[in-house]
Amino acid sequence: MDPICHIFLLLLAFHKTNPSVSSCITGCSCSQDSFGRSLLCMSALLRQIPANIPQDIRKIRIENSHLTELPRGSFENVSALEYLWLNFNNITVMHIKSLKYLPVLKELRLQGNKLSSVPWTAFQDTPALKILDLKHNRLDVLPEHALRYLPDLTYLDLSSNQLTVISRDVFYSWPVYQRSQRAEGHREALSNAVLALHDNPWICDCRLRGFVQFIKSVGPPIILMNSYLTCSSPKFRAGKFFYEVELNSCMKPLTSALDTNLTVSVGLNVTLTCFVQASPSPAVWWTYSLKLLRAFNVSTEPISEDTMRSELLIPAARPADAGNYTCTAANFLGNTSVAISLHVRSPWASTTTPAWAPIGPAESGAHVEVRIAKQTVYGITLEWFAVAAAAAEPGETWYTLLVGRYDAAQKDAIYIGPGINTYSVTDLLPATKYEVCVAVRNQAPRKGQCVIFVTGSDISQLEQREKLIHIVVIVCAMVLAVPAGMYACTAEARPGCLARCPSMCPRRRRGGQAQAAGSKESTLDSLPAGSEDGLCLPEGGRGARRPPAREEPGKTRPPHRNSADLY
């Protein structure tokens, strides 16, 4: 047989036994170049790595698709793969064995995905990897062993992620850096390794001290793509370059207070202050009786690089505010706290002065108008406003709210800060008479500044009252719907009937034979004006109407009047 025929038959048999050699993925294209055979899938609607990738593929490029994860053994059929580009997908998860069966992989690019973490031990299966591109992801942590399994890496791009703090031990354990340290003073030739770490929100505090020192000292064979790394926080270091900052060592918080025992009078503002020295900046909070105090009464600000001041404001101190307040500060090294004791002097501590007696000199000319804005079964909402000039500005005026039962000699005092002109009194007893007064602080209530009210007895009574109102409204509507003519006719006919019935009823009994004929003309329209015919009842009868009178000859009949003439 001709040798050409033998070659053709061998190629045909090889193609039939190995269909994956020349086949390609639907929606993708395959090509041959200097790197070998390539698979290109651009903007294809792929949601997972294809399972039937040809075995002779050396380069895979799947971009702008809908890949969300790299599962275990994703490329077990293409062990000869050397270049893997999976840029601009939606990959969020990378399995620890997703790169298994890729011993000759040289380049892995995962730019523009949504990875928040990477299983760095997965690179044990790719000992030949030289290029790793992870820029524009969401990486926020780089563990100390991250680069341990990348001994031959020549390009690492971690730029444009969410890295804030890195330990220098990450690079001290990198085989490339270790070789460069051993080669110092020797003429050993080492290949360069490019490192990209820019455009990350670095927090320049004591935790970054070692990494900043590494960046300042790094040199060939490790080359920074951009050596001008900048700080993002804290505020007083934001925008500064690494080579411009000197970071201190980390320190456990140390809390202190200038005065740990305070005494104030009722109604006065008091500010508790504690100082915290720590690095990095700690979290600071206040507690009272084991309860976390609301943050809007707490202000914390730095006064130096390692010192902060925290203040707790207590407006219009009351006896119930007395006690121990604890200022606590904590960072990753530990926490400490300091306690401040507050004592509030009550104006009624040694006397039985009424609740609305002034606690200080009255402010002349100050008057408050009070009204009820809303009332419920168990309380009311008050509104007030000043109608005369007070000694203080309106935005600085404090008010005293006195609440209690009407017959109680002592009322509860509530102190309201400036800028507030409404207050709700709730949880009151039902069916009880109360009195509420509002006065400017240090002033006794005047006439018109007190409101007396009675709480509802029960919610069910209010519901019954609402139902009764609904029934009355419906009945009124039905009454108004009756024609006005009915009222006019009835009002005109009834008095005449009562006057004439005694004299007409006997004649009615004598003319009983004509009742059937007269009943046909008993409608309102057939009754002449002023007539009471048909309105009188016989004795013991059921209301048979009176028959019409017989007409006498020669006597004219009066004209018929319609009921419309009555109006």
Side-chain angles (χ1 to χ4, degrees), residues 180-446:
S180 67
Q181 295 300 304
R182 291 193 299 265
E184 287 186 359
H186 301 79
R187 294 185 177 181
E188 181 181 355
L190 297 175
S191 58
N192 292 330
V194 178
L195 184 61
L197 295 166
H198 54 279
D199 294 334
N200 280 287
W202 302 112
I203 300 176
C204 293
D205 57 23
C206 66
R207 294 170 294 177
L208 207 64
R209 185 184 181 204
F211 175 67
V212 171
Q213 292 176 347
F214 167 78
I215 294 299
K216 291 179 178 179
S217 62
V218 72
I222 298 177
I223 301 173
L224 292 175
M225 179 180 289
N226 185 348
S227 60
Y228 293 96
L229 304 184
T230 58
C231 302
S232 294
S233 61
K235 289 183 178 180
F236 60 90
R237 290 198 180 104
K240 291 186 177 181
F241 296 113
F242 277 16
Y243 65 82
E244 296 178 324
V245 299
E246 292 293 335
L247 303 179
N248 299 326
S249 300
C250 293
M251 177 176 58
K252 181 182 177 179
L254 177 63
T255 56
S256 61
L258 296 178
D259 193 350
T260 58
N261 198 337
L262 296 175
T263 301
V264 296
S265 299
V266 170
L268 297 180
N269 294 348
V270 59
T271 301
L272 310 183
T273 304
C274 79
F275 296 91
V276 181
Q277 188 176 6
S279 183
S281 297
V284 181
W285 64 90
W286 290 80
T287 54
Y288 173 69
S289 299
L290 302 179
K291 294 181 180 179
L292 185 65
L293 296 180
R294 293 172 291 184
F296 61 79
N297 285 337
V298 178
S299 62
T300 303
E301 58 182 1
I303 56 178
S304 66
E305 182 175 344
D306 297 329
T307 306
M308 305 178 68
R309 178 177 60 230
S310 182
E311 296 180 340
L312 170 64
L313 173 64
I314 302 176
R318 300 176 297 169
D321 294 326
N324 293 327
Y325 292 80
T326 303
C327 173
T328 305
N331 62 14
F332 75 97
L333 291 176
N335 64 81
T336 56
S337 60
V338 60
I340 301 177
S341 297
L342 177 65
H343 305 277
V344 181
R345 288 197 304 263
S346 173
W348 310 292
S350 58
T351 181
T352 58
T353 305
W356 42 50
I359 62 176
E363 300 176 1
S364 59
H367 182 72
V368 179
E369 287 288 348
V370 185
R371 74 179 186 89
I372 297 178
K374 180 182 179 181
Q375 182 170 359
T376 62
V377 176
Y378 299 107
I380 62 171
T381 299
L382 297 176
E383 287 185 352
W384 63 85
F385 59 93
V387 296
E393 294 295 329
E396 301 176 359
T397 303
W398 288 75
Y399 298 95
T400 302
L401 187 68
L402 303 169
V403 184
R405 298 181 61 164
Y406 180 73
D407 54 353
Q410 199 81 2
K411 302 290 192 296
D412 295 331
I414 302 172
Y415 299 96
I416 310 296
I420 301 174
N421 67 338
T422 181
Y423 190 86
S424 295
V425 182
T426 57
D427 297 331
L428 301 179
L429 296 176
T432 306
K433 190 176 183 179
Y434 284 92
E435 183 177 20
V436 180
C437 300
V438 180
V440 176
R441 193 183 64 178
N442 299 338
Q443 188 182 65
R446 300 180 180 180

Side-chain angles (χ1 to χ4, degrees), residues 46-309:
L46 293 178
R47 298 188 179 276
Q48 59 184 3
I49 301 297
N52 55 342
I53 299 177
Q55 297 178 0
D56 60 340
I57 292 295
R58 296 290 184 271
K59 180 179 181 181
I60 295 178
R61 186 176 180 182
I62 303 176
E63 298 182 356
N64 297 305
S65 294
H66 299 282
L67 301 180
T68 58
E69 64 175 330
L70 294 180
R72 179 187 182 96
S74 300
F75 307 97
E76 59 182 353
N77 294 329
V78 283
S79 57
L81 188 65
E82 297 182 12
Y83 304 93
L84 179 59
W85 290 17
L86 300 173
N87 299 324
F88 308 110
N89 289 287
N90 294 315
I91 300 175
T92 57
V93 179
M94 182 177 175
H95 194 272
I96 193 172
K97 289 298 181 180
S98 58
L99 302 179
K100 195 176 181 180
Y101 309 112
L102 297 178
V104 296
L105 186 66
K106 299 178 180 178
E107 186 172 328
L108 174 61
R109 296 185 181 271
L110 294 168
Q111 174 186 352
N113 282 281
K114 299 178 181 179
L115 290 169
S116 57
S117 63
V118 172
W120 296 96
T121 54
F123 297 112
Q124 295 181 87
D125 297 323
T126 59
L129 192 65
K130 294 185 177 298
I131 296 177
L132 178 58
D133 186 359
L134 294 171
K135 62 175 172 283
H136 289 290
N137 275 277
R138 301 175 181 177
L139 302 178
D140 55 0
V141 175
L142 206 60
E144 292 186 6
H145 67 273
L147 307 181
R148 187 175 302 171
Y149 306 107
L150 298 167
D152 296 325
L153 206 62
T154 58
Y155 179 84
L156 174 62
D157 196 339
L158 296 171
S159 62
S160 300
N161 277 276
Q162 299 298 320
L163 298 173
T164 55
V165 175
I166 292 181
S167 171
R168 61 183 174 186
D169 294 336
V170 174
F171 302 97
Y172 285 175
S173 62
W174 190 15
V176 175
Y177 178 80
Q178 293 174 350
R179 286 197 302 267
S180 67
Q181 295 300 304
R182 291 193 299 265
E184 287 186 359
H186 301 79
R187 294 185 177 181
E188 181 181 355
L190 297 175
S191 58
N192 292 330
V194 178
L195 184 61
L197 295 166
H198 54 279
D199 294 334
N200 280 287
W202 302 112
I203 300 176
C204 293
D205 57 23
C206 66
R207 294 170 294 177
L208 207 64
R209 185 184 181 204
F211 175 67
V212 171
Q213 292 176 347
F214 167 78
I215 294 299
K216 291 179 178 179
S217 62
V218 72
I222 298 177
I223 301 173
L224 292 175
M225 179 180 289
N226 185 348
S227 60
Y228 293 96
L229 304 184
T230 58
C231 302
S232 294
S233 61
K235 289 183 178 180
F236 60 90
R237 290 198 180 104
K240 291 186 177 181
F241 296 113
F242 277 16
Y243 65 82
E244 296 178 324
V245 299
E246 292 293 335
L247 303 179
N248 299 326
S249 300
C250 293
M251 177 176 58
K252 181 182 177 179
L254 177 63
T255 56
S256 61
L258 296 178
D259 193 350
T260 58
N261 198 337
L262 296 175
T263 301
V264 296
S265 299
V266 170
L268 297 180
N269 294 348
V270 59
T271 301
L272 310 183
T273 304
C274 79
F275 296 91
V276 181
Q277 188 176 6
S279 183
S281 297
V284 181
W285 64 90
W286 290 80
T287 54
Y288 173 69
S289 299
L290 302 179
K291 294 181 180 179
L292 185 65
L293 296 180
R294 293 172 291 184
F296 61 79
N297 285 337
V298 178
S299 62
T300 303
E301 58 182 1
I303 56 178
S304 66
E305 182 175 344
D306 297 329
T307 306
M308 305 178 68
R309 178 177 60 230

Side-chain angles (χ1 to χ4, degrees), residues 507-540:
R507 288 183 294 173
R508 175 86 177 178
R509 288 192 293 269
R510 290 192 297 268
Q513 298 297 329
Q515 289 180 357
S519 62
K520 297 180 180 180
E521 300 179 6
S522 61
T523 61
L524 286 174
D525 289 340
S526 64
L527 288 175
S531 174
E532 294 85 11
D533 290 348
L535 295 177
C536 298
L537 298 176
E539 295 180 359

